[in-house]
Amino acid sequence: MSAFYHFHWAREEHADCLVLMTTLAGFVQQDFMEIVDRDLISGNPYPEALIVIVPADAASEMKNALTTMIGTQALLRLPDDTAIVLATFDDRGQIAVGASDTLQGNLKLESEDFSSIVRAGTLHLVTSREAVLEAPPGHHFVHPRRKHSRAFLRTANALIQGEEIGFLALVLLPYLGEVDEKVWVDSSSIAALVYAAYALKGRLINKISCIQIQSFLSYEGVDRLQIQDPSKELVLISASASGSLPEIVAAKTRLPESRIVTLFSTSKKPSGTVVFDARETIRGLEPLMLETFEATQCPWCRDGSRLITFVGDQFLADAAVVLPYTIVEAAASPALRAIMQKYRGNNAFGLRRHPEQAGHGLFVDLQHTLLANGNRAAISKMVQRNIPASTSHILPTESQDSERLAEIVADEISALGLPRPEILSSKSAGTATRERKGVVIVAATLGSGQSFQDASRDLRTPFRNLPRTYFAGVNKHSLAEYQGTLLKDLEHNNREHKHIFCVVDALTLPHENQFSSWDKELKFWRKVKADLPKIYDTKKVTSVIERRIRILLRNLMEDDFFLTNTAGHPLKLRPSFAFWDGTYQTDVIKQGDVFATIASILESRRKPSKAKGSPELAQSPFHLTVLSSENFTRFNDGIIQASLLRAAFPHELNYAHTTTANHSAKIGHLVLKMMERHAENQGEAVLEFLVALATRQMTLATIDLERIVSFPKNKLPKLLAAVLPYVFNDEPYAETADSETEVPA
């Protein structure tokens, strides 16, 4: 939990601003610094301004603290041209900026800007906390009023952290009365918000507020509403999908509209007073998703959709739906197939261990792929279509591949009969020997986009609004949520023509691009090595474990991605991989080629698509998806099975739920067969499965885990026998080391 609620806000023709808001009377400097620093390295564009919103009684202390921080670069690492504005709000929730409260830079804010900021902050809270619950494919919701919809706004999801409740308390301030004594709520889940709002108001007017809060349990308890004094009582409704609850309350109580307040409304015809019209602000939902229908007119019922019933005053679903997903050949898009045909067999994919965070990131080596002479045609085509004739300079980002790509782009421009651009460096971006007419910023591989953002800031002064083209060889996270913001920021050019952003090859890999299974495996092998009983502590077993630990401590390339088979040979791909086009030589295919393909397919199944509707691997509080056990039987190459185990998220491999018992049993049976035939192709990935179970990357039902660990150890090699007990027990050798019997080597 933090002292500040923070989000990004943008207005027309401006880059976005970072907004920090607090309701505390004191300044918590450490929280402030952490938020700003984390935002700068998170992949978000550099903010045009930092806007700090504080209560009136904290303004003086905050202003002094910010002024001190601005003068100390180590405390506030923002450029000198970034505007820093301090805004204050009063007991009525009115936000304003004083004449001397722009502490750095230049940014003028009007009252309508603050209204927009509040809306942006509310939208960010609703979306980041997934307050809008979407029914899984083939399902829809039944509201307490018995109306049906495909999506539902649950306010309780937005009331998780104190700073978020504080922000909504600020939003609610304008709707509170001066002499309120009692507040009726439809759900006890928003009681904390009511207390926070009145406590904040009382502090700002220096008066203790004693508020009585009572829940009337939504539709079920409207008859409990007994208003004694309309001037001192308020009704607060958490959310309304149809607008009927405020109407019923109004008819029952005869309260004026201003005293019946709905926090979130998704109704076409809202009644009473609405704080936040979610229907107008929430984007990306189909028009009918938030529509409510009577059962007899429900379009989803007519299509055979299954009902999810809400119960209780907090509208909790009666049960979660768990659906299995089977990967089909069509899951690999034509674009992915084309990219893999270009990149496979060239040792292009590797895993880098993050120096600070747990996990490995997938990187792409372009030396023998995109930058090879045989692939110049794709770069040439992109240059012809996207690079302006006025280009006078090229700035590569800081990598050898980027510098090589910049040379190729310069050669292609020259080949068109245009003057060859001058190639700059990051250190000399502000100096140039030729007249500046336009610049191309080149990055061989695009991850978070931070390198483009850094270059954009470096070029802001020397190249002003001149044509700017961002040219990337490979975009690793083309479907990541931040991509839209990144594109908007890079293309932004005040009132001039937009800048250009273009990519030669686009991949769909998970962002933050942190695969955790290898870090889990490293910790596991260290534990196994420390725990090994004497009967397993042989030179052969120890050398295998130590070698694997050494591999996991460096970048993973070629055939080091996965554990070997029991003969010590790396897992290899056999012919006819369903997700690739054309023929290939199996001896040149590396494990990274297969892993990158599977990782890309799984990530594309997690992301929404307008053409395909809800993604197959989407997750929500009431919709869980696991990879069907059929995936591990249909794709029986050990290298493909290992790729699925490593690229999937743990919740996608969790079969402990009662509704997935059949999948757990099938995988349990598969692992048993692998142990029986560990020396054959059918069992080549057995060690991958055992380690996945031992590290909890994959979870099976208890009965199936017991079946696996009961397999006779004397029929297994010593390494498998040593690993097997960890499938069921984190400390298998704590008390049983002396009781183990001898097993084969």
Side-chain angles (χ1 to χ4, degrees):
M1 194 173 81
S2 171
F4 294 89
Y5 173 63
H6 64 283
F7 55 92
H8 281 260
W9 166 72
R11 57 181 175 175
E12 189 175 356
E13 297 180 353
H14 287 268
D16 66 4
C17 304
L18 176 62
V19 182
L20 282 78
M21 192 285 306
T22 185
T23 56
L24 301 181
F27 175 51
V28 184
Q29 179 174 291
Q30 187 60 36
D31 286 358
F32 188 95
M33 291 170 55
E34 286 183 1
I35 290 171
V36 175
D37 289 346
R38 191 165 62 245
D39 187 78
L40 293 178
I41 64 174
S42 66
N44 287 321
Y46 282 105
E48 178 187 27
L50 175 65
I51 302 172
V52 186
I53 302 175
V54 301
D57 59 351
S60 178
E61 179 182 350
M62 181 66 79
K63 187 172 184 178
N64 291 335
L66 281 176
T67 302
T68 301
M69 293 178 71
I70 290 171
T72 309
Q73 189 174 7
L75 296 179
L76 191 60
R77 289 182 277 271
L78 287 172
D80 294 340
D81 60 348
T82 300
I84 300 178
V85 179
L86 178 65
T88 59
F89 63 87
D90 59 18
D91 63 290
R92 296 295 301 162
Q94 302 300 312
I95 308 174
V97 175
S100 61
D101 290 338
T102 300
L103 308 180
Q104 177 177 288
N106 183 27
L107 181 69
K108 187 176 181 181
L109 296 172
E110 307 291 346
S111 58
E112 58 267 23
D113 291 322
F114 290 116
S115 298
S116 175
I117 288 172
V118 169
R119 286 195 301 273
T122 310
L123 175 61
H124 173 74
L125 180 54
V126 169
T127 53
S128 63
R129 287 299 182 185
E130 297 182 348
V132 177
L133 307 179
E134 296 182 45
H139 295 74
H140 66 286
F141 298 127
V142 181
H143 295 243
R145 193 64 174 171
R146 309 311 300 168
K147 289 192 174 184
H148 297 192
S149 79
R150 280 275 286 124
F152 183 85
L153 200 151
R154 183 169 182 260
T155 306
N157 285 18
L159 301 174
I160 305 298
Q161 297 290 353
E163 69 272 17
E164 297 168 346
I165 296 174
F167 174 77
L168 287 181
L170 162 61
V171 174
L172 198 56
L173 281 181
Y175 304 91
L176 306 183
E178 299 297 330
V179 292
D180 293 343
E181 294 180 356
K182 186 173 184 178
V183 178
W184 295 87
V185 294
D186 68 325
S187 168
S188 58
S189 64
I190 62 173
L193 172 60
V194 178
Y195 281 122
Y198 280 99
L200 178 60
K201 182 180 181 67
R203 198 186 83 216
L204 291 173
I205 62 175
N206 199 24
K207 177 183 177 182
I208 298 176
S209 299
C210 297
I211 294 295
Q212 179 186 357
I213 300 176
Q214 185 166 340
S215 175
F216 61 89
L217 304 178
S218 192
Y219 291 95
E220 299 175 6
V222 173
D223 290 341
R224 302 182 188 185
L225 275 169
Q226 300 294 332
I227 303 296
Q228 303 297 324
D229 187 345
S231 67
K232 296 181 179 180
E233 296 184 49
L234 178 74
V235 175
L236 181 62
I237 296 170
S238 57
S240 177
S242 64
S244 58
L245 183 56
E247 290 178 352
I248 294 171
V249 170
K252 166 69 177 174
T253 63
R254 304 296 181 186
L255 283 170
E257 285 192 352
S258 62
R259 306 300 287 165
I260 303 174
V261 179
T262 301
L263 190 58
F264 297 107
S265 174
T266 58
S267 172
K268 267 187 173 181
K269 298 179 180 179
S271 60
T273 299
V274 174
V275 176
F276 184 73
D277 188 341
R279 177 174 294 276
E280 293 183 2
T281 319
I282 296 172
R283 307 299 181 193
L285 293 180
E286 296 175 12
L288 288 182
M289 290 288 281
L290 292 168
E291 238 5 274
T292 57
F293 296 89
E294 298 291 345
T296 55
Q297 300 174 329
C298 176
W300 302 293
C301 286
R302 289 198 298 268
D303 292 338
S305 177
R306 180 183 173 186
L307 296 175
I308 300 175
T309 304
F310 283 107
V311 295
D313 72 322
Q314 295 188 33
F315 303 159
L316 302 172
D318 56 350
V321 178
V322 183
L323 299 174
Y325 170 63
T326 302
I327 303 173
V328 296
E329 188 173 346
S333 67
L336 176 62
R337 291 174 181 274
I339 288 175
M340 293 313 303
Q341 194 159 7
K342 181 194 302 184
Y343 285 79
R344 71 194 186 201
N346 292 296
N347 202 24
F349 300 99
L351 285 167
R352 285 178 179 156
R353 193 177 183 209
H354 198 283
E356 299 175 356
Q357 304 175 13
H360 287 72
L362 190 66
F363 68 94
V364 187
D365 189 335
L366 305 184
Q367 182 178 358
H368 301 295
T369 52
L370 184 64
L371 302 184
N373 290 333
N375 292 318
R376 287 281 287 267
I379 300 174
S380 177
K381 185 180 294 184
M382 293 298 292
V383 169
Q384 293 174 31
R385 291 184 175 182
N386 296 281
I387 304 300
S390 61
T391 298
S392 58
H393 294 82
I394 296 179
L395 174 64
T397 57
E398 294 184 357
S399 76
Q400 290 184 349
D401 278 355
S402 297
E403 292 172 0
R404 173 63 182 140
L405 181 57
E407 293 286 350
I408 294 174
V409 171
D411 290 343
E412 291 297 329
I413 294 174
S414 178
L416 295 174
L418 299 170
R420 193 178 194 277
E422 176 185 351
I423 297 180
L424 304 170
S425 69
S426 58
K427 296 180 181 179
S428 64
T431 61
T433 59
R434 292 170 51 181
E435 180 185 359
R436 299 183 182 95
K437 295 181 179 179
V439 62
V440 178
I441 302 96
V442 173
T445 306
L446 182 64
S448 67
Q450 189 65 54
S451 59
F452 274 166
Q453 294 163 11
D454 291 341
S456 176
R457 296 193 70 89
D458 293 340
L459 298 173
R460 185 177 296 176
T461 300
F463 281 84
R464 301 182 302 280
N465 294 326
L466 293 173
R468 194 179 304 166
T469 304
Y470 298 91
F471 190 103
V474 175
N475 184 0
K476 294 196 295 183
H477 314 296
S478 60
L479 290 185
E481 293 179 2
Y482 72 87
Q483 286 278 321
T485 304
L486 173 64
L487 180 61
K488 181 180 177 181
D489 183 66
L490 294 179
E491 291 181 340
H492 173 72
N493 192 22
N494 296 321
R495 296 180 181 275
E496 300 290 335
H497 292 291
K498 288 184 177 180
H499 296 311
I500 298 172
F501 174 82
C502 56
V503 173
V504 180
D505 292 322
L507 286 170
T508 303
L509 297 173
H511 183 74
E512 294 277 344
N513 197 24
Q514 292 297 311
F515 297 96
S516 62
S517 65
W518 285 274
D519 191 67
K520 293 178 183 177
E521 185 196 348
L522 175 61
K523 294 176 182 177
F524 172 72
W525 287 123
R526 284 172 168 168
K527 180 173 179 56
V528 172
K529 182 182 176 183
D531 292 351
L532 271 181
K534 290 183 180 179
I535 60 168
Y536 301 128
D537 193 4
T538 66
K539 183 177 181 181
K540 181 178 179 181
V541 171
T542 303
S543 64
V544 171
I545 294 174
E546 290 177 345
R547 179 180 180 277
R548 186 60 183 171
I549 289 175
R550 289 195 299 271
I551 289 173
L552 293 171
L553 287 173
R554 61 175 187 254
N555 293 343
L556 304 181
M557 297 293 296
E558 299 188 351
D559 289 330
D560 286 337
F561 276 58
F562 308 126
L563 292 158
T564 64
N565 62 17
T566 53
H569 300 142
L571 302 182
K572 289 289 187 179
L573 184 68
R574 291 186 276 276
S576 303
F577 188 25
F579 304 122
W580 289 353
D581 289 336
T583 59
Y584 51 85
Q585 294 179 311
T586 56
D587 58 329
V588 301
I589 298 300
K590 302 301 180 182
Q591 292 178 351
D593 300 329
V594 183
F595 175 76
T597 303
I598 296 298
S600 181
I601 289 173
L602 292 183
E603 183 65 6
S604 68
R605 301 300 94 181
R606 300 178 185 122
K607 299 300 182 184
S609 167
K610 293 181 179 179
K612 298 178 181 178
S614 298
E616 293 88 341
L617 285 176
Q619 307 288 329
S620 76
F622 308 123
H623 171 208
L624 308 175
T625 305
V626 296
L627 287 175
S628 170
S629 56
E630 188 178 347
N631 292 302
F632 296 102
T633 55
R634 293 178 73 241
F635 303 109
N636 53 16
D637 280 23
I639 192 172
I640 303 175
Q641 294 171 333
S643 296
L644 287 169
L645 291 173
R646 300 279 187 166
F649 294 147
H651 62 257
E652 294 166 348
L653 298 172
N654 188 337
Y655 305 98
H657 197 279
T658 54
T659 60
T660 55
N662 61 324
H663 294 281
S664 176
K666 289 179 180 178
I667 292 176
H669 179 73
L670 175 64
V671 174
L672 288 170
K673 286 294 183 183
M674 284 182 164
M675 288 193 289
E676 287 180 7
R677 303 180 180 181
H678 62 81
E680 304 172 20
N681 285 344
Q682 187 175 339
E684 60 186 346
V686 62
L687 194 53
E688 279 285 332
F689 275 89
L690 292 182
V691 171
L693 292 169
T695 58
R696 309 302 178 250
Q697 176 75 4
M698 172 186 277
T699 308
L700 301 183
T702 300
I703 187 173
D704 298 310
L705 294 175
E706 290 175 339
R707 287 170 53 215
I708 292 172
V709 297
S710 65
F711 189 89
K713 295 181 184 176
N714 59 1
K715 295 183 178 181
L716 296 173
K718 281 194 173 183
L719 181 62
L720 291 188
V723 168
L724 184 59
Y726 288 95
V727 167
F728 190 73
N729 188 347
D730 290 335
E731 300 289 344
Y733 301 119
E735 299 177 358
T736 60
D738 295 334
S739 62
E740 296 284 355
T741 56
E742 185 66 29
V743 297

